[in-house]
Amino acid sequence: MSNVVNAEPYLYIDGYGETEQQATIDAKQQLALRIYSKVEVKEKNIQSKVNGDINTSYELQSEITTLPIEIQYMEISHVTCEYFTCQYQFKIDTNKWFASLKRDVAEYHNIASDYLSIAGQQWRDLKQLDTIKSNLLNSEQSLIILSSLGASDLFLLENKQSRLLRRATQYENQFQISFRSASDRFSSEVKTLLSASKAASSSGNITVYIKASMQKGKQGNHFVAKQTVVLQIFEANNLGVVVAQKQLSEMASSPNSIDSALKKARQKIIKILKTHSIYSLLD
């Protein structure tokens, strides 16, 4: 178990490992757990049948989530080795690290403030929204680190963070996207999926037209299918001009049938659509 000691102006962290690299990873993980950790517990019932008898077992699965922390100004203070494991004591110059984090937060805030001051209702504005949200997430995480480790003079930064988050949310809620699709089944399925986004509207500032196509064939003893989905972006003030286009293509094979291969290819595309925000997807 690693220990974390705060002794101004240095933060001391213990890490264990056979090598300096292993000990560094261990120390950073312990510091991340101290700063922020979220535990999710999932319950799982497992049933099995043996010789006609049904056996039921109960299992708890836990997952710990921490912040992605990039620690700066960290160096080795002391090393003690016993057998195959060494205890490394690292020290971090908190004055320099805190100052760097505060500069990063201020820079993220300036970028977000400039964007929200001039953001309109066009495609170029929407493209930048995902970046702005990512920047504000980074600044939020930096503020959590600073607050957890006892940094001072955070009131103005925290206040500005709250204001910018509210402004970004208000702007995002005002931005509406309408989805249209070709008449084929998969285009309609993609439209239904994308229309679940909170940005979706029957008449939006941006219109996304969805059209799908597929190719199929055979390679050796396997059936091969390629599914393509094209997303064309139009602005409300000029629906006759495509301002941007995004193409997603996936291939899959199956020893059974073309339908099976096509289903696999489509599932790959569906997974992409589900794991990306509408803003990053259309970038």
Side-chain angles (χ1 to χ4, degrees), residues 260-279:
S260 178
L262 186 59
K263 183 178 180 180
K264 289 181 181 180
R266 289 176 172 177
Q267 286 174 339
K268 290 181 181 181
I269 290 180
I270 293 296
K271 183 177 180 180
I272 294 173
L273 296 174
K274 286 184 175 180
T275 53
H276 286 73
S277 73
I278 189 62
Y279 312 108

Side-chain angles (χ1 to χ4, degrees), residues 8 52 76 81 89 96 114 134 138 158 232 265 267:
E8 296 294 346
I76 296 175
C81 290
Q89 184 180 70
K96 292 182 179 179
D114 289 344
S134 177
N138 289 336
E158 290 175 336
Q232 294 181 323
Q267 286 174 339

Side-chain angles (χ1 to χ4, degrees), residues 131-281:
T131 300
I132 296 303
K133 291 174 66 178
S134 177
N135 285 345
L136 288 175
L137 176 61
N138 289 336
S139 59
E140 180 77 17
Q141 292 173 345
S142 294
L143 286 170
I144 291 174
I145 294 170
L146 288 165
S147 177
S148 176
L149 296 179
S152 58
D153 302 324
L154 297 180
F155 176 76
L156 292 178
L157 289 175
E158 290 175 336
N159 191 36
K160 190 170 185 178
Q161 175 76 15
S162 297
R163 293 200 314 270
L164 288 171
L165 283 173
R166 286 196 301 270
R167 288 177 59 191
T169 300
Q170 289 170 355
Y171 173 73
E172 182 179 4
N173 290 338
Q174 293 171 0
F175 216 116
Q176 300 295 307
I177 304 174
S178 61
F179 295 94
R180 305 285 185 267
S181 73
S183 58
D184 65 279
R185 181 177 176 181
F186 192 58
S187 294
S188 299
E189 184 178 347
V190 171
K191 176 192 170 185
T192 299
L193 178 62
L194 294 180
S195 295
S197 164
K198 65 179 181 180
S201 171
S202 58
S203 58
N205 315 103
I206 299 295
T207 296
V208 177
Y209 181 72
I210 305 153
K211 58 180 180 180
S213 62
M214 65 175 178
Q215 294 175 291
K216 52 188 178 180
K218 200 169 181 181
Q219 192 173 52
N221 294 325
H222 282 68
F223 296 93
V224 180
K226 179 180 180 180
Q227 179 67 62
T228 299
V229 173
V230 176
L231 308 177
Q232 294 181 323
I233 295 94
F234 301 85
E235 293 178 343
N237 60 356
N238 194 354
L239 292 176
V241 177
V242 178
V243 296
Q245 181 167 294
K246 177 77 173 186
Q247 178 172 302
L248 302 173
S249 292
E250 292 292 341
M251 290 186 66
S253 64
S254 170
N256 301 319
S257 66
I258 282 292
D259 288 342
S260 178
L262 186 59
K263 183 178 180 180
K264 289 181 181 180
R266 289 176 172 177
Q267 286 174 339
K268 290 181 181 181
I269 290 180
I270 293 296
K271 183 177 180 180
I272 294 173
L273 296 174
K274 286 184 175 180
T275 53
H276 286 73
S277 73
I278 189 62
Y279 312 108
S280 61
L281 181 66

Side-chain angles (χ1 to χ4, degrees), residues 14-41:
D14 291 336
Y16 295 84
E18 295 181 12
T19 64
E20 179 185 339
Q21 182 180 17
Q22 291 176 349
T24 301
I25 293 172
D26 179 54
K28 289 182 176 181
Q29 287 176 339
Q30 294 303 320
L31 181 58
L33 285 170
R34 174 192 165 180
I35 292 171
Y36 174 89
S37 61
K38 179 181 178 182
V39 180
E40 290 188 8
V41 179

Side-chain angles (χ1 to χ4, degrees), residues 4 11-14 23-35 67-75 90-94 96-98 100-101 104 142 145 149:
V4 182
L11 183 70
Y12 291 89
I13 316 171
D14 291 336
T24 301
I25 293 172
D26 179 54
K28 289 182 176 181
Q29 287 176 339
Q30 294 303 320
L31 181 58
L33 285 170
R34 174 192 165 180
I35 292 171
L67 289 178
I69 300 175
E70 182 62 38
I71 302 175
Q72 298 178 323
Y73 309 106
M74 178 175 170
E75 60 184 51
F90 300 92
K91 69 176 183 179
I92 302 170
D93 189 322
T94 54
K96 292 182 179 179
W97 189 27
F98 290 176
S100 176
L101 287 173
D104 290 343
S142 294
I145 294 170
L149 296 179

